[in-house]
Amino acid sequence: MDAMVRELSYAQAIQEAMALAMEADERVFLMGEDIGVYGGAFQVTGDLVERFGAERVMDTPISELGGAGVAVGAAMTGMRPVFEFQFSDFATLAMEQIVNQAAKMRFMLGGEVSVPLVMRFPAGSGTGAAAQHSQSLEAWLGHVPGLKVIQPATPHDAKGMLLAAIEDPDPVMIFEHKLLYKMKGPVPEGHYTVPIGKAEIRREGRDLTIVATSIMVHKALEAAETLEAEGIDVEVVDLRTIRPMDKATIIESVKKTSRLLCVYEAVKTLGIGAEVSAMIAESEAFDYLDAPVVRLGGAETPIPYNPELEKATVPQVPDIIAAARGLVQGTR
Amino acid sequence: MDAMVRELSYAQAIQEAMALAMEADERVFLMGEDIGVYGGAFQVTGDLVERFGAERVMDTPISELGGAGVAVGAAMTGMRPVFEFQFSDFATLAMEQIVNQAAKMRFMLGGEVSVPLVMRFPAGSGTGAAAQHSQSLEAWLGHVPGLKVIQPATPHDAKGMLLAAIEDPDPVMIFEHKLLYKMKGPVPEGHYTVPIGKAEIRREGRDLTIVATSIMVHKALEAAETLEAEGIDVEVVDLRTIRPMDKATIIESVKKTSRLLCVYEAVKTLGIGAEVSAMIAESEAFDYLDAPVVRLGGAETPIPYNPELEKATVPQVPDIIAAARGLVQGTR
Amino acid sequence: MAAPKRAQPEAAVRANLPFIYREYSPEQLRQVLHKMYLIRRFEEGAEECYMRGLIHGTMHLSIGQEASAMGICMPLAEHDQITSTHRGHGHCIAKGAEVKKMFAEFFGKTTGYCKGRGGSMHIADVAKGNLGANGIVAGGIPIAVGAALSAKRMKTGKVVVSFFGDGANNEGAFHEALNMASVWKLPVIFVCENNGYGMSTSTERSTAVKNIAERAAAYSMPGVIVNGNIFSEVAEASHRAVERARAGEGPTLIESKTYRHRGHSKSDRNRYRTKEEIEDWMSNRDPITLFENELQEFGIIDREGVEAIREAVAREIAEGIQFAKDSPSPDVRDVENYVYTEPA
Amino acid sequence: MAAPKRAQPEAAVRANLPFIYREYSPEQLRQVLHKMYLIRRFEEGAEECYMRGLIHGTMHLSIGQEASAMGICMPLAEHDQITSTHRGHGHCIAKGAEVKKMFAEFFGKTTGYCKGRGGSMHIADVAKGNLGANGIVAGGIPIAVGAALSAKRMKTGKVVVSFFGDGANNEGAFHEALNMASVWKLPVIFVCENNGYGMSTSTERSTAVKNIAERAAAYSMPGVIVNGNIFSEVAEASHRAVERARAGEGPTLIESKTYRHRGHSKSDRNRYRTKEEIEDWMSNRDPITLFENELQEFGIIDREGVEAIREAVAREIAEGIQFAKDSPSPDVRDVENYVYTEPA
Ligand SMILES: Cc1ncc(C[n+]2csc(CCOP(=O)(O)OP(=O)(O)O)c2C)c(N)n1
Ligand SMILES: Cc1ncc(C[n+]2csc(CCOP(=O)(O)OP(=O)(O)O)c2C)c(N)n1
Ligand SMILES: [Mg+2]
Ligand SMILES: [Mg+2]
């Protein structure tokens, strides 16, 4: 890693991407609740309103459906809105505009318009905010053609993928885990992009592939350290993009390791692990499997308020270690 | 099949279930747009308003979010609403109430309330109504703990499962394929229930299991006839319930046939087939597989208006035949 | 429509004339009649094609609402934009669309406005400023506000009109969109075409206020009620709203009271309104008859002129349908086209 | 609260007294002061526990809004119901909750109102008619309408109050819910506690109307503005609305103008309002001070009486916190409990 590269938090990295994009392109602007003087519920926009003014860092009323629709309309007519949901849970109010309008507009109009819209969804549990402020709903949007759906796991990728998203002609949905916002990591200065649709191998290994998303990438890497000490050599693939999924990278990894564990925070049933597992079954990698694909996802419950219960609902490092061990040792 | 059993259409079967429930329990009432004098967009409520009056067959304003919330509030306080979305696509407006409120209320309140709410979602393509009126979104709700999600495929099950849903203490979401409404089949008179959470083997076979949902059950049965002529003996499992899934029935079937094809209309990626495939990989049935699980789902596109394109977006009988053949003959 | 050229009668007489006779030339007004006929015959043509199985799906006809569509669009410049509804054929034509490309769309052909992907409920004509019909009731309202935000930010001088029905005014999207448009003083005009019913549900049974225009007060914007079947009234209200919007004074809500002669869509048993009510609107308040008679009274057109329009329109419709029939269908291998923007 | 018993001063004098002195007994009014203190101290206690790391998550304190919660709930019977908001501790106490079970909930204990599953944002007390706080702004409004529908259909005579903030009034759910409640004439009262800000966004920047009560006209229901920091004004408005609802005349919108002394939640840098503004509300318009002074003026309580209330409240809070501390945490093996209704 280049010693000259600064460390920024994930939130700062996002902020920097937005600032760069706004400097470079006057069509880019930000919309959301309390993103101006408040700086955003998670201080992601921070003081951008001071630099760019209230017209480009626009506070909206508490009107998620209407706000999303305004963003769609602005995107269809030449602007490049970056829309922040205060919590991804509130996107449930705006699914109509996201799914019926933004995702389908180009298609329904036979290619006559594009919808260069970016939406940011602070997601996930771990803050004690209980069932209505802690969901992970990326699988819903991953099921919707017309959208691109990403989950950057590092400050580096958060900046680079957001810049790629803003430059993308189609609607891109970014799920940001709230617990990542304060995580620091190296972030190059200036403009760069990280491509949408490409997974990244975070750690090479021979015995087992772990495909993880968002915060689970870090937990998987932590688990891999422990497993290494036990002689289990884990490859960790950071999926990064939910739609379109980078099948090739996963397939190649599985062909090498012959074992696959998929780790994600969302409710297990019909979460991203289901897709990864089914995709592998349909791929050439299937014949290389020495054991069936295993998923480690969230419990089949809303997120509870009590902190111990809350932790118990989503995969933790020991769970990953146990699942990996089971897979490699063939005790499932 | 009992010769005395009448034939009813799927829509009539639903109507009969609602009428029986309203007769038996005065807490049951219907809500929705144009379900009164209009009889519902698909004539499912038909003339029920004449029998039960406008208070129990309540037309709502065009207010899906508010309407759903009213249903949640009524269910929490002693009533048993059956809420009709005019098209399942419009449920995108009400996801907040469905997912944040109905699904989680009991949990968030530590078991102090129940939400005995039924919602009906006319779904699917094939009517030329284009991208905003043709979606299959059952996988979204299948991802949400707190909900039960069903997809009856026959008039018999439509009646029996709706009656079970109305009697269920928790929120039950029913996806009804619009093309099934006019399909006729035997429906017993009077009260009976078909349990939520139980799949049904529609056809027994030795060579291959097809797990299908909703209208695809019928297409799978049709395909099975052709395949039989070719010497391929297909078992067709009608999944019926998306959440909670009847894993045991699928596993048993796969242990017998060693091959699994999952057919559904929704967009393939992150649709129900992903879950079925991943579940099998994690189950004891995995070791019985002679070939990897194959999914046949909808194309990765919104539903187009043009009728030929529209057909091409969802699995048709020849597609099922080809996929089944490929699986059995090992050419994938 | 092009910027209005003024007719020039005597000043004193002019002042007493209805708005449109002061504002538009006789030629422009004859064109309006032409377009109203074009809308009517387009709907009838589409209906017939549907009956004959040439068009699939469903459709929502705007027969009876032609003066509303034309009156609102008359003061708009070509670059001004609209969002429309499931009942959007009239808006589309009023904003300048060619009927042959509309028919082609309904026939699911590649020459259609949406290349056969959208159909009636998504008909659009982006080049002429029609951002599209919408299958979601009230779905286009916030989109129009977004387009108006673009216009304001990019200083294009454009005005955006959002058409919607009385049923749509009970959707949350209506509320949220009108509030934001007012707070941000955007150049947008909200046009509620109140035809008395959202599908089968009358405004009395669905809407807790007598006139939808009264809801404008909740957003501190002017609320105007017009007889939507009288072209001049509609055009005048639209004109004022456009002026207000262009002057940066913000949005207006116009309630255009009108009626649809046909059922809601092709599956309507018509149990919620009486034969007499329908008959009354058709016989006594038909917007085309009213406008045609008025033009004749004012000596702007004579019987022969009307006949000529009718014939020209009939030809245009016949040609449009023929064009649609002759056009190619999409290739099924292209089923996943237009989902994403193709790399350039 | 129990049905009011009337105090009996001279008839002439009584007519000139503020509403509450005509309607409620001195003992009842002293209880109100007691409860207002209980809310205040509860919030302070919760804040302190939070600061000391005993409570996790976030919380939204209603300090400064006690008269509003108490005034609205005063005319309600125990079986009447409320839906509440993220800023819901005051409503919960005003509707009759026990603070110890509230603290236990905040501590995530099984003895809490939600057995540790809900926390501050979902605090509820179904037995006392509190159907729950809600983490979704405006999420409880349609739910309240549904509860009112139950009341009407099941003829229980119940009235339902929906509390929400000024920010919530720009949500579509507000619009849809008020419209339906009015069309169906349901026994529900919409109480907008306007504290000037939705998080950091002032009503001027978010809401296109000066007074939120003006929006009532869009739903043909009475819109009433009260000084939310004066208990008597709030209670009187609530009383009238309850009478109207019980008489089957339908809903009322009450705008209760008030202020929150604390930041929005625990992560507020407080950049959107001035120190002076906050100071002014705290010093000159504190609802407890105003009410306490008034009761003293009317001779209903003296300094010692106030002191006694304060001490009793302090004890109740201390005991509540102790109860919470001493209570058991849920077993993590029960993590999937209460997702579905357990078979009986
Ligand atoms: C969100 C949504 N809800 C319901 C429908 C079904 N629907 C289509 S048109 C319509 C009636 C609309 O009434 P109105 O807005 O008055 O327009 P009109 O049909 O009278 O022109 C309904 C209920 C829909 N398309 N979208
Ligand atoms: C649908 C939704 N959007 C946004 C939020 C985040 N949020 C929580 S409280 C709040 C402000 C609410 O303001 P108001 O209604 O005035 O209530 P107050 O906090 O002032 O009591 C916001 C934006 C939320 N919880 N739900
Ligand atoms: Mg209408
Ligand atoms: Mg507020």
Side-chain angles (χ1 to χ4, degrees), chain D residues 131-267:
Chain D
L131 298 175
N134 210 303
I136 303 298
V137 166
I141 310 180
I143 293 175
V145 175
L149 181 68
S150 285
K152 183 165 178 167
R153 289 285 185 273
M154 304 198 301
K155 300 192 178 44
T156 59
K158 290 183 193 177
V159 162
V160 186
V161 167
S162 180
F163 286 102
F164 54 91
D166 48 286
N169 105 99
N170 297 315
E171 285 281 9
F174 162 90
H175 175 69
E176 297 182 7
L178 269 72
N179 182 60
M180 284 186 280
S182 177
V183 169
W184 298 330
K185 278 199 180 304
L186 298 181
V188 54
I189 303 169
F190 300 103
V191 178
C192 180
E193 298 191 308
N194 182 350
N195 57 15
Y197 301 87
M199 212 155 152
S200 69
T201 311
S202 66
T203 52
E204 292 75 45
R205 294 203 296 126
S206 67
T207 307
V209 76
K210 202 164 173 329
N211 300 298
I212 290 159
E214 292 169 35
R215 289 194 162 162
Y219 314 103
S220 303
M221 69 177 76
V224 184
I225 300 173
V226 295
N227 183 332
N229 285 15
I230 299 185
F231 171 74
S232 182
E233 270 199 37
V234 183
E236 182 167 8
S238 179
H239 184 88
R240 302 230 175 296
V242 169
E243 278 186 339
R244 185 178 143 83
R246 288 217 213 281
E249 291 162 25
T252 301
L253 171 60
I254 297 176
E255 178 179 4
S256 174
K257 303 228 189 211
T258 183
Y259 199 76
R260 59 168 156 77
H261 293 179
R262 294 294 194 274
H264 166 70
S265 70
K266 301 320 295 172
S267 62

